[in-house]
Structures are given as structure tokens and as C-alpha cells.
Amino acid sequence: LFEESDLKELPFDIYHYTPINNWLGFVEIAVNAVLVIFGVFILYWAKSNNYWFLFILIVPLSFLFVRLFVLQHDLSHGNLFTKKKYNDWVGIFIGIVLLTPYYYWRKAHIIHHVSGGNLDRRPWVGDIEVLSVR
């Protein structure tokens, strides 16, 4: 879409924010992983001790799982690490945790981007029925 020279001409000096930073990608994954593991252990403890705490904890833990899916989405675009294999390895691991096969989801997501809203170009029937004037 943009050439690198075009990015340099954008206002607000946005070019400096576009490079991928492996360290920040690692921190994003690590912080979320630690919070999910901690939340699951507390959830396990609450299951046997206090059911009300269990119901309160399930909401923030669900947001952490949504964040994991967002990270998997970013990994499928290659946005967290400079090397494709690192994005794929971490994406596969997150896919196992989320019970969402990484390569299958990545392929379907790329088709979603390529079709650009044209449902006739998608190779499968969608999960919702789209009605039109015709």
C-alpha cells in the first residue's frame, strides 16, 4: 500500500513508530502469559474454596483470553517479531491455548483481508447469512 519513502513523508513523524521491536513483542506476550497463568491458578483455587470469587474473577480472565486472541491476530500479520518463524511459533502456542488452529485461522483471516468485503470471492459459506436486495 505504502512505499517506505511514502512513510517518511507522513505528518506527525509516524515513520519512527512503524518498525517492529522484538523486545516489545516479547514483553506483550510475557505479560499476558503471566497474567493468564496467574488467573487460571487463582480460578482453580477459587473453584474449591469460594464460588463467588470464581464468578468475579472469570470476567477479567475472559478479557485476558481476548487479549491472547488479539496477540494471535497480530502474530498472523507478522507484527510482533521481525522473523516470521518467531511469529509462527508463538502463534501456534497461543493457538493451542485458545483451541484455535493457528495456520488455519491465519489462512482464513488472510482470505478475509483479500476479499475486501466481497462475500462472493470467499471460498466458503460464512457463519452468518447475508441478505441482499436481490
Side-chain angles (χ1 to χ4, degrees):
L1 189 62
F2 288 109
E3 296 294 324
E4 191 167 302
S5 60
D6 295 337
L7 288 174
K8 290 180 182 177
E9 296 172 10
L10 286 174
F12 308 113
D13 207 16
I14 217 168
Y15 178 72
H16 296 290
Y17 298 102
T18 57
I20 296 171
N21 186 331
N22 287 330
W23 174 247
L24 288 177
F26 173 76
V27 168
E28 288 284 336
I29 297 291
V31 166
N32 204 71
V34 166
L35 290 173
V36 166
I37 291 168
F38 181 69
V40 168
F41 278 125
I42 291 180
L43 198 67
Y44 181 75
W45 171 82
K47 180 182 70 98
S48 59
N49 294 325
N50 188 349
Y51 280 107
W52 288 110
F53 190 61
L54 178 77
F55 292 128
I56 293 170
L57 181 66
I58 202 74
V59 172
L61 193 58
S62 66
F63 287 128
L64 287 172
F65 275 92
V66 169
R67 178 68 180 142
L68 268 181
F69 185 80
V70 169
L71 289 172
Q72 184 185 28
H73 171 267
D74 291 345
L75 288 163
S76 72
H77 283 290
N79 291 341
L80 288 183
F81 302 107
T82 53
K83 293 193 178 200
K84 183 181 182 307
K85 67 179 181 179
Y86 298 147
N87 286 305
D88 289 344
W89 289 347
V90 176
I92 289 169
F93 179 74
I94 290 175
I96 291 169
V97 171
L98 296 176
L99 303 176
T100 305
Y102 174 71
Y103 286 116
Y104 177 79
W105 185 87
R106 185 181 70 177
K107 181 179 178 183
H109 187 65
I110 289 170
I111 291 170
H112 156 78
H113 279 288
V114 169
S115 65
N118 185 353
L119 298 178
D120 294 332
R121 288 183 56 197
R122 293 190 184 174
W124 65 84
V125 177
D127 54 352
I128 61 170
E129 182 145 357
V130 179
L131 302 177
S132 67
V133 176
R134 272 192 244 154

